[in-house]
């Protein structure tokens, strides 16, 4: 299926690793022009293979975001789409206090707003699209992650707010909600446990469809479809490519294939 993204420039924050890298790869396959905004450069060979542009930026700094967007426009022209993806679960819970909470929101939430603010005229001019990458913790809670959950829940609210604000412009805004997917950050968390493989098997056993983790590629496919004109009448939606983990009863038993 041709998603109609050939030649379209799309910014992907955190697009050089994990789910962001998978999104960059799918965009490149569709003939789009991905622009990665991130703190650290990705692997040079991988970057060359995807043909993506890379702009180094500290997304928590407003002035740095302004400069990065200007540089992206200089390299690829008008921006069609945005994937707000960068962020990490930093474990800021009730014990850490207000200062740590604010700092975490700056790392995980505020740049979502900043990027849409800076790109609003590009999006209107191109009748483009935004995808916000969120987390199932916004709906389920997790414990010990107050700031991350607050950021992820706010992203879902902003998805619907921005969908309304852009209605007259034809710009679509949707969210992809990630549950259990094997990213480098997730793998590092697993490796910090006494028995990583046992923990992985325990988690996978609770995922209704296939009793397996969601592949980053599966999340990327959903993101890129939502960016594309083939998803032309979808806006303000929260999409869950999670094997039923968030909404189906995790106690469902029996043969996963049956």
């Amino acid at each position: 299926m041709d998603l109609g993204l050939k030649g379209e420039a799309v910014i992907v924050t955190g697009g050089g690793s994990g789910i962001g890298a998978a999104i960059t790869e799918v965009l490149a396959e569709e003939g789009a022009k991905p622009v990665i905004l991130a703190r650290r450069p990705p692997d040079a060979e991988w970057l060359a293979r995807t043909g993506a542009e890379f702009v180094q930026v500290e997304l928590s700094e407003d002035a740095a975001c302004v400069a990065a967007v200007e540089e992206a426009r200089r390299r690829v022209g008008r921006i069609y789409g945005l994937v707000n993806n960068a962020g990490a679960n930093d474990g800021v819970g009730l014990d850490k206090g207000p200062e740590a909470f604010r700092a975490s929101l700056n790392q995980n939430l505020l740049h979502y707003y900043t990027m849409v603010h800076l790109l609003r005229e590009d999006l209107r001019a191109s009748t483009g699209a935004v995808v916000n990458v969120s987390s199932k913790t916004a709906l389920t809670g997790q414990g010990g992650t107050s700031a991350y959950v607050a950021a992820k829940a706010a992203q879902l609210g902003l998805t619907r707010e921005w969908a309304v604000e852009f209605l007259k412009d034809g710009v679509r805004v949707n969210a992809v909600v990630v549950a259990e997917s094997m990213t480098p950050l997730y793998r590092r968390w697993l490796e910090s446990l006494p028995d990583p493989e046992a923990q992985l098997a325990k988690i996978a056993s609770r995922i209704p469809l296939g009793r397996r983790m969601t592949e980053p590629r599966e999340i990327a496919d959903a993101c890129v479809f939502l960016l594309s004109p083939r998803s032309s009448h979808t806006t303000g939606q929260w999409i869950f490519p999670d094997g039923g983990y968030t909404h189906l009863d995790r106690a469902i038993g029996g043969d996963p294939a049956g």
Side-chain angles (χ1 to χ4, degrees):
M1 179 187 292
D2 180 359
L3 295 182
L5 289 170
K6 287 184 176 63
E8 299 288 10
V10 179
I11 287 178
V12 185
T13 67
S17 63
I19 291 166
I23 295 167
T24 297
E25 290 171 357
V26 176
L27 284 168
E29 289 170 12
E30 289 295 322
K33 297 186 288 187
V35 182
I36 299 165
L37 267 58
R39 284 183 186 141
R40 290 176 290 277
D43 176 78
E45 289 186 10
W46 176 86
L47 191 64
R49 189 166 63 250
T50 62
E53 297 285 343
F54 169 70
V55 180
Q56 193 160 22
V57 60
E58 175 49 64
L59 289 164
S60 64
E61 298 175 2
D62 295 345
C65 290
V66 171
V69 167
E70 289 176 351
E71 176 63 15
R73 288 196 191 105
R74 187 188 69 78
R75 295 192 199 179
V76 299
R78 185 183 66 191
I79 307 300
Y80 164 85
L82 167 67
V83 181
N84 272 323
N85 166 73
N89 191 337
D90 50 16
V92 175
L94 286 170
D95 58 321
K96 298 296 177 63
E99 185 175 347
F101 183 84
R102 291 189 190 95
S104 179
L105 292 183
N106 200 33
Q107 294 290 334
N108 285 306
L109 173 62
L110 298 186
H111 60 81
Y112 276 51
Y113 172 88
T114 302
M115 293 303 299
V116 175
H117 167 73
L118 293 173
L119 291 167
R120 66 195 187 282
E121 296 307 325
D122 294 69
L123 294 165
R124 286 171 174 142
S126 60
T127 317
V130 177
V131 174
N132 293 321
V133 177
S134 186
S135 164
K136 55 93 177 170
T137 60
L139 291 92
T140 65
Q142 188 174 58
T145 57
S146 295
Y148 182 75
V149 168
K152 292 299 167 183
Q155 291 162 12
L156 296 181
L158 288 171
T159 296
R160 291 193 167 151
E161 167 64 13
W162 294 336
V164 173
E165 186 156 343
F166 279 123
L167 280 176
K168 65 183 181 299
D169 307 300
V171 175
R172 298 171 299 102
V173 185
N174 294 287
V176 168
V177 186
V178 179
E180 305 296 335
S181 183
M182 189 57 70
T183 65
L185 282 174
Y186 201 105
R187 172 56 67 182
R188 282 200 291 273
W189 170 73
L190 276 176
E191 295 297 335
S192 72
L193 303 176
D195 191 340
E197 293 310 311
Q199 182 64 27
L200 177 59
K202 182 179 178 181
I203 293 166
S205 72
R206 295 172 177 167
I207 300 172
L209 184 59
R211 301 297 190 269
R212 66 172 179 83
M213 303 274 281
T214 307
E215 296 290 337
R217 172 70 189 226
E218 292 170 315
I219 296 166
D221 285 342
C223 287
V224 175
F225 176 71
L226 289 172
L227 285 170
S228 80
R230 299 303 293 263
S231 183
S232 58
H233 211 227
T234 302
T235 195
Q237 300 303 304
W238 306 342
I239 307 301
F240 294 80
D242 66 354
Y245 186 84
T246 305
H247 292 103
L248 301 184
D249 188 344
R250 297 179 204 170
I252 294 169
D255 181 357

